[in-house]
Amino acid sequence: MMSAFDEMHAAPQQLRDHYTVYDQWLQSQPPESMQARRHEAEMIFRRVGITFAVYGAKDEDGAGTERLIPFDLIPRVIPQHEWKRMRDGLRQRVTALNRFIHDVYHGQEILKAGLVPTAQVLNNAQFRKEMMGVDVPGGVYSHISGIDIVRTGGADGNGETYVLEDNLRVPSGVSYMLENRKMMMRLFPDLFSIHRIAPVAHYPDLLLETLRAVAPAGVNEPTVVVLTPGMYNSAYFEHAFLAQQMGVELVEGQDLFVREGFVYMRTTQGPKRVDVIYRRVDDDFLDPSVFRKDSTLGCAGLLDVYRAGNITLSNAIGTGIADDKSIYPYVPKMIEFYLGEKPILSNVPTHLCREPEGLQYVLAHMHELVVKEVHGAGGYGMLVGPAATKAEIAEFAAVVKANPANYIAQPTLALSTCPTYVDSGIAPRHIDLRPYVLSNGKDVQTVPGGLTRVALKEGSLVVNSSQGGGTKDTWVLEN
């Protein structure tokens, strides 16, 4: 395992420059004051309803559980020069991924060039043959992308940044980024007077601008809605929050219907035409007349309207082909193929179990690797080798051997650590970062920072909220 990079300290008694002012402030805070603010944050988050549902988890009465995502008081601080490189790398990567999706559903030039295995794309569960030849506004498929970034110690101790995962279908978590910032400004206003911290509060405005910019041709004042599966979805708080922040309607599938080639929503004033749907519903459930017949979450006839160019879906149907973990290893080649550039951000070295030599290596080294299901998400369907028992490894190995194409493996990265306020005091905990990238065909924009997720259990590398992780505010310094 690579050594961990300490975000705050270059050496045990040596602070990194961008944490100096914050550390001076932190040293002056009485422990009881920090503890009181911690309780205040939890009380406010609970009152506002910032919770998420945990699928499969039950309380003592057998009911499904809703949990508060733990919020940590100590921010993750990123200097300006470091963010600029990351931002440039994100723009490059998302641009190439959008070009790849367009190519896959049109000329398939990258497949003809032999850079990505044809079978890996065309036989993939995320490939939607219904999208072949469909043109989307600006050629953009993933308007909202969440790219997971991690940092490790690196050979020289200066830290190496990697993209761990691309989330291009319905990336979640941006509401926590916004609420975390509001909470920090409420609890610690003095910190914002002694630091120049790049703002993130304008994200809903940027999001609405992006959605309006990709409306069907000829629509000057587009009607935008957020489509949610409903209040029992784990991210329902975020769906309602973003609709409210953008000032648009939050709708469910039953609120929509198709008539004469257009989509309408039911309102108290009668039907209203809809032009852009920011959908938080998976492909399979969007149109019961084409995909899952038993879906009550979508709108029958939606695909026909979409193919005719009379509705925009953000993100587009079929984007999942580019964020499938089995496609991830080919992203550096996509960047070179479509943009003629070297990747700014590196991939994590990845073993493909569908390749015989890859499978052989993974089975022999499973105890030291992270093995992931290619369609898995939320920390499910994976094995962290160093943290697993021999019995768990043997059981997982049997599953992988039964279906090798369904798994990839990567080195167990020692994710960088950041000081975190835990029950025993302040201690290092492993973190990652999910910046959000908005694309409209003309511009690729990010708000500075993103959502920092933190593994609150000592030694844990799993940051997902569904697995007990928490979140931090992310500061990008403007000077």
Side-chain angles (χ1 to χ4, degrees):
M1 188 192 298
M2 302 180 189
S3 59
F5 176 91
D6 188 318
E7 297 283 345
M8 189 170 180
H9 298 93
Q13 300 300 320
Q14 182 185 346
L15 284 167
R16 300 192 188 278
D17 289 346
H18 53 283
Y19 266 101
T20 304
V21 175
Y22 176 78
D23 185 68
Q24 290 170 352
W25 175 90
L26 184 61
Q27 298 302 329
S28 70
Q29 301 303 302
E32 57 272 17
S33 170
M34 293 293 283
Q35 189 63 39
R37 285 164 171 172
R38 191 181 182 199
H39 287 311
E40 184 181 349
E42 185 172 330
M43 180 186 70
I44 294 169
F45 277 151
R46 200 171 293 283
R47 190 168 67 222
V48 174
I50 307 177
T51 60
F52 72 102
V54 184
Y55 295 127
K58 305 288 184 183
D59 62 18
E60 56 192 16
D61 299 319
T65 60
E66 286 219 341
R67 293 183 189 163
L68 199 68
I69 294 184
F71 165 69
D72 185 54
L73 299 179
I74 300 179
R76 189 247 184 99
V77 184
I78 300 173
Q80 177 62 224
H81 71 275
E82 191 179 298
W83 168 248
K84 185 179 182 301
R85 178 180 176 274
M86 204 182 300
R87 181 196 64 201
D88 293 345
L90 291 165
R91 288 173 174 169
Q92 179 195 59
R93 190 175 182 98
V94 169
T95 299
L97 285 163
N98 269 309
R99 293 276 293 274
F100 169 72
I101 304 170
H102 180 271
D103 187 21
V104 159
Y105 292 117
H106 288 80
Q108 301 185 342
E109 299 301 327
I110 200 166
L111 305 186
K112 293 171 185 172
L115 295 179
V116 179
T118 299
Q120 194 67 14
V121 172
L122 302 187
N123 297 338
N124 195 297
Q126 297 303 317
F127 176 73
R128 304 293 177 184
K129 64 183 186 300
E130 297 85 358
M131 287 296 292
M132 286 299 297
V134 177
D135 292 319
V136 298
V140 175
Y141 290 75
S142 183
H143 309 96
I144 303 105
S145 309
I147 310 296
D148 292 346
I149 291 179
V150 297
R151 176 149 58 183
T152 64
D156 57 3
N158 290 327
E160 288 185 32
T161 300
Y162 294 96
V163 172
L164 186 63
E165 205 167 281
D166 303 296
N167 300 282
L168 308 178
R169 281 172 265 183
V170 281
S172 63
V174 75
S175 59
Y176 302 113
M177 173 189 83
L178 297 168
E179 288 292 332
N180 287 353
R181 175 61 56 84
K182 280 166 64 178
M183 183 61 72
M184 288 294 284
M185 294 178 81
R186 175 179 181 142
L187 296 178
F188 308 111
D190 47 332
L191 278 174
F192 290 83
S193 63
I194 58 175
H195 292 88
R196 288 189 60 205
I197 302 164
V200 296
H202 59 297
Y203 176 85
D205 296 332
L206 278 184
L207 176 59
L208 184 58
E209 282 176 23
T210 299
L211 296 172
R212 290 171 63 88
V214 296
V219 178
N220 296 322
E221 290 296 327
T223 296
V224 177
V225 299
V226 177
L227 175 63
T228 177
M231 63 183 295
Y232 296 108
N233 183 266
S234 63
Y236 180 73
F237 165 78
E238 176 157 295
H239 307 163
F241 174 87
L242 289 174
Q244 185 266 330
Q245 291 289 307
M246 289 191 289
V248 305
E249 293 293 333
L250 179 69
V251 300
E252 297 183 29
Q254 62 194 10
D255 300 319
L256 302 176
F257 65 94
V258 168
R259 188 171 71 194
E260 297 176 355
F262 293 94
V263 176
Y264 294 85
M265 66 173 159
R266 296 177 173 88
T267 76
T268 53
Q269 283 81 42
K272 182 174 177 58
R273 182 177 152 184
V274 175
D275 304 298
V276 181
I277 299 176
Y278 177 23
R279 53 98 172 204
R280 301 297 294 258
V281 173
D282 292 337
D283 286 357
D284 284 338
F285 301 94
L286 275 176
D287 186 341
S289 62
V290 179
F291 302 118
R292 282 189 54 158
K293 311 297 183 195
D294 60 344
S295 173
T296 59
L297 304 178
C299 172
L302 180 61
L303 185 64
D304 285 341
V305 181
Y306 187 44
R307 290 171 63 95
N310 292 334
I311 189 80
T312 298
L313 297 176
S314 298
N315 288 340
I317 293 172
T319 48
I321 189 61
D323 74 3
D324 185 273
K325 293 181 180 68
S326 67
I327 298 296
Y328 162 91
Y330 303 102
V331 178
K333 290 182 180 177
M334 293 176 200
I335 292 170
E336 295 196 31
F337 183 76
Y338 296 115
L339 307 180
E341 300 170 0
K342 292 290 184 186
I344 297 170
L345 298 175
S346 300
N347 266 23
V348 178
T350 302
H351 306 281
L352 301 171
C353 295
R354 65 179 183 79
E355 296 176 350
E357 63 273 24
L359 177 63
Q360 187 178 354
Y361 181 87
V362 170
L363 292 174
H365 297 84
M366 197 169 270
H367 60 286
E368 60 192 45
L369 297 169
V370 176
V371 189
K372 301 177 181 178
E373 196 175 8
V374 294
H375 306 312
Y380 297 104
M382 65 185 283
L383 176 89
V384 180
T389 65
K390 285 186 177 179
E392 287 169 339
I393 290 171
E395 185 180 339
F396 209 86
V399 173
V400 171
K401 277 194 275 190
N403 188 3
N406 206 34
Y407 293 89
I408 62 164
Q410 296 169 330
T412 306
L413 303 177
L415 309 185
S416 64
T417 63
C418 187
T420 301
Y421 201 92
V422 294
D423 290 337
S424 58
I426 296 174
R429 291 292 185 266
H430 295 291
I431 59 171
D432 78 352
L433 176 67
R434 177 175 290 181
Y436 296 90
V437 186
L438 299 174
S439 310
N440 63 20
K442 297 190 181 97
D443 302 308
V444 181
Q445 302 179 86
T446 58
V447 290
L451 179 68
T452 291
R453 301 183 297 178
V454 54
L456 294 173
K457 296 174 187 169
E458 186 175 0
S460 173
L461 297 171
V462 183
V463 299
N464 304 77
S465 52
S466 54
Q467 307 289 318
T471 65
K472 290 174 170 284
D473 191 14
T474 309
W475 293 1
V476 172
L477 299 182
E478 290 190 314
N479 53 352

